[in-house]
Amino acid sequence: MVLEQLDTLYREVILDHFREPHNHGELPDAQIKAQGTNPLCGDEMAFWVKLNGDHIEQVKFSGKGCAISQAAASMLTEQLKGKSLKDAHGLIQTMRAMMQGQEPSPQADLGDLESLAGVRKFPVRIKCAALSWNILEQGLQDYQRKGAA
Ligand code: ZN
């Protein structure tokens, strides 16, 4: 089990979010609903995003799967609330770069997402963490494309 091999600090933060996920639930009046799966591990996730202009007013998720996938979703929703769509895309790019081994800039406001850096040592598990931002990015892009059409 990967979690047992993580550094204690990372493990505790991830387990906290897994046991008590933030922003868990559904948003019936959300403009964006996006979902996806990670068949390698069996993780499933859906996100609801409520926008106010070009800002994310509220975001929630529901799903099931391993601790890393569920904790990543909880952490990501926490960081995305109140962000502009542009900053949301920026955060997703930062997370992707971090999982590929780049150190995030000190200005990057990652919050608990930083603890996912410990998952880099386990390439198969990177997909568990990345499921959240892959789904959200797709959802935001689809929405913005529709809006521009
Ligand atoms: Zn997983």
Side-chain angles (χ1 to χ4, degrees):
M1 170 89 186
V2 169
L3 279 177
E4 282 154 13
Q5 297 166 278
L6 284 176
D7 297 336
T8 312
L9 175 68
Y10 292 143
R11 188 172 58 221
E12 287 308 312
V13 178
I14 289 171
L15 280 175
D16 278 353
H17 277 272
F18 177 55
R19 290 191 192 114
E20 285 180 62
H22 302 194
N23 308 306
H24 199 258
E26 302 185 3
L27 282 175
D29 57 347
Q31 292 98 327
I32 300 173
K33 186 188 174 196
Q35 54 195 8
T37 60
N38 169 23
L40 281 178
C41 178
D43 308 316
E44 296 175 17
M45 211 103 69
F47 287 90
W48 286 261
V49 183
K50 190 178 173 192
L51 295 170
N52 182 358
D54 68 345
H55 278 74
I56 295 175
E57 186 173 293
Q58 185 62 267
V59 47
K60 291 197 177 211
F61 81 100
S62 68
K64 55 180 196 224
C66 69
I68 291 170
S69 69
Q70 303 302 308
S74 170
M75 296 170 186
L76 189 62
T77 55
E78 200 62 18
Q79 283 317 107
L80 283 177
K81 254 193 289 181
K83 280 209 163 39
S84 68
L85 291 173
K86 185 170 173 282
D87 288 347
H89 285 299
L91 178 68
I92 290 168
Q93 295 315 321
T94 301
M95 288 311 297
R96 209 165 263 156
M98 186 178 92
M99 298 315 273
Q100 285 164 1
Q102 281 180 41
E103 288 311 314
S105 86
Q107 289 97 315
D109 179 21
L110 295 183
D112 287 345
L113 283 168
E114 249 184 301
S115 64
L116 294 174
V119 177
R120 288 185 298 205
K121 288 184 278 183
F122 311 97
V124 173
R125 290 312 183 113
I126 293 175
K127 286 193 160 53
C128 300
L131 178 64
S132 285
W133 52 84
N134 287 341
I135 295 172
L136 268 165
E137 184 179 52
Q138 192 64 53
L140 294 177
Q141 279 175 351
D142 288 349
Y143 177 81
Q144 286 173 293
R145 243 194 311 269
K146 261 190 290 174

